[in-house]
Amino acid sequence: MEALTRIAHASIRVAAELTPAEAKANAAAQMAGLAYGLAAIGPGIGIGMIFGKAIEAMARQPESAGMVRTTMFLGVAFTEALALIGFVAFILLKFA
Amino acid sequence: MFSNQIAVILGEGAGRGFSFPPINTILRWKDVVPGINKVVIIAILSALIGTLLFLVASLKDARKAPKGSRNLAEVIVEFIEKNIIMETMGKSGMGWTPFLLTMFVFIYLCNLPGIIPFIQMPATARMGIPAFMALLVWVVFNATGIKHQGLFGYFKNVLFPPGVPKALYILVTPIELISTLVVRPFSLAVRLFANMLAGHLLLVIFALLSQALIQAETQKFFLVPIGILPFALLIFLTGFEILVAFLQAYIFTVLTAVYIGGATHPEH
């Protein structure tokens, strides 16, 4: 607890010493990391489910593996788009 | 707290150590000739190489057993026909082979310089090429739909998909309008661009990290052996980028085929 208050005090002191531009850059960097982290959760779960189900389907019916694979990549492409938009948001927050 | 210690270990306070350069120094290249920079040169070269490969292959005797460039060209054509067109459009889509083949080869050859040493810049990591390709696909699949179903029929099928209860059209029509005409080309372009840019930045970060660790000036006993780890990951990621370059070209082509197939034969 004591350590926590010390860290909080230290960060407040650091924040007070920054110029507005630096403070803005700091906040942008933190939010960029947060934005990409949040954007990656859903697609991560989604892609895992898609691959798992595709492997299940291929194991059950190896003769339909080709079709399943194509459909799987389609699903991955659509799911992944959300994570990639999060990545673009990261780039815009951090560098733009 | 931890980041402070790491910064101290890396000697950041003394002006050395690891710092990420501004993004423009990684992505924005100087013009060689006015209007032509490294990215443009890569794009032109990949178009030329792709064209040359298939021109040389087409000049060879078709009756003999294929070898060399003709063998390679036949493998690529067969891949497009078997794994992309047959899986998404069926036999009636075979007429689209030249278009999809050109698209696949061009995107793959644009992606590949991302991992070739001393070049190491995928041309698709700048928004220009993906945006233009997506726009081209958008025009092509809409034009195909209008040609096959007529202007009225195509938009009726897009905006009012059959089999939906009438009351739901209030909800479905705006969603379909946005998803078909806006989100499709946008996501197509952003997917290719962001994947290649992410891979490029990943390689840059690990290269810089291993350089900072291996050339460390303080606490050498500790930092130099650790530098092997990011370097090993850098080599692994370079191999992974070959897969990503192929996968993105494949996905772009498959989605194009799916959009064109959907516009040619509407759902009943």
Side-chain angles (χ1 to χ4, degrees):
Chain A
M1 200 60 212
E2 201 186 309
L4 273 183
T5 38
R6 209 168 58 227
I7 291 170
H9 278 295
S11 62
I12 288 168
R13 204 175 59 236
V14 167
E17 286 163 6
L18 293 176
T19 63
E22 282 171 339
K24 197 185 162 203
N26 266 3
Q30 286 172 12
M31 283 303 123
L34 189 69
Y36 182 66
L38 286 176
I41 295 174
I45 297 171
I47 290 175
M49 280 171 84
I50 291 170
F51 270 94
K53 295 279 178 193
I55 291 168
E56 233 169 66
M58 283 185 220
R60 273 171 195 246
Q61 266 182 316
E63 64 269 26
S64 71
M67 202 196 72
V68 170
R69 198 173 296 122
T70 309
T71 321
M72 180 184 82
F73 279 124
L74 277 182
V76 169
F78 286 126
T79 318
E80 197 190 35
L82 296 170
L84 291 173
I85 290 168
F87 173 72
V88 172
F90 169 87
I91 293 284
L92 289 178
L93 277 173
K94 181 78 178 68
F95 295 111
Chain B
M1 215 163 91
F2 269 120
S3 61
N4 278 346
Q5 282 168 2
I6 292 171
V8 169
I9 289 172
L10 286 178
E12 213 165 32
R16 294 189 300 270
F18 180 64
S19 64
F20 197 75
I23 194 146
N24 278 346
T25 59
I26 302 172
L27 291 178
R28 194 163 287 170
W29 299 93
K30 285 196 192 73
D31 285 3
V32 181
V33 185
I36 293 183
N37 58 10
K38 189 171 165 181
V39 176
V40 179
I41 292 173
I42 291 172
I44 293 173
L45 274 185
S46 51
L48 277 182
I49 291 170
T51 317
L52 269 183
L53 168 71
F54 283 93
L55 266 184
V56 169
S58 70
L59 290 179
K60 290 198 177 167
D61 193 353
R63 284 164 299 179
K64 281 183 199 154
K67 62 181 179 190
S69 64
R70 186 166 177 105
N71 206 356
L72 182 64
E74 281 188 11
V75 168
I76 301 172
V77 170
E78 216 162 87
F79 170 75
I80 299 285
E81 285 187 342
K82 234 189 201 165
N83 289 12
I84 293 180
I85 294 180
M86 282 308 281
E87 301 279 352
T88 55
M89 293 200 268
K91 208 158 177 63
S92 63
M94 282 302 179
W96 287 102
T97 312
F99 178 64
L100 296 177
L101 181 74
T102 316
M103 194 156 254
F104 177 80
V105 172
F106 178 64
I107 293 177
Y108 184 58
L109 288 178
C110 275
N111 288 347
L112 213 52
I115 51 106
I116 297 175
F118 305 112
I119 304 176
Q120 276 174 330
M121 175 72 205
T124 39
R126 302 303 308 268
M127 196 52 172
I129 292 172
F132 178 74
M133 302 285 277
L135 209 63
L136 183 67
V137 170
W138 186 81
V139 169
V140 164
F141 84 77
N142 278 323
T144 318
I146 291 170
K147 186 183 156 203
H148 278 262
Q149 304 170 38
L151 190 64
F152 182 73
Y154 175 61
F155 282 104
K156 184 172 159 288
N157 265 320
V158 167
L159 296 180
F160 303 99
V164 179
K166 285 237 160 29
L168 272 185
Y169 279 138
I170 307 168
L171 206 61
V172 169
T173 305
I175 293 176
E176 285 290 319
L177 178 71
I178 291 175
S179 83
T180 310
L181 297 182
V182 180
V183 173
R184 268 187 189 184
F186 175 73
S187 71
L188 208 57
V190 166
R191 180 178 301 117
L192 180 58
F193 158 72
N195 259 304
M196 296 325 291
L197 178 62
H200 186 59
L201 287 184
L202 214 57
L203 293 183
V204 169
I205 287 170
F206 278 100
L208 285 174
L209 187 57
S210 24
Q211 191 208 8
L213 282 171
I214 289 171
Q215 294 187 340
E217 287 170 20
T218 50
Q219 306 188 30
K220 279 188 187 170
F221 292 115
F222 177 59
L223 291 179
V224 174
I226 284 187
I228 295 168
L229 292 177
F231 188 69
L233 200 61
L234 177 66
I235 292 172
F236 168 75
L237 282 173
T238 304
F240 181 68
E241 281 303 303
I242 303 176
L243 177 73
V244 170
F246 171 76
L247 208 61
Q248 288 313 310
Y250 173 70
I251 284 177
F252 198 100
T253 321
V254 166
L255 284 175
T256 308
V258 168
Y259 294 157
I260 293 173
T264 323
H265 302 290
E267 294 164 34
H268 299 293

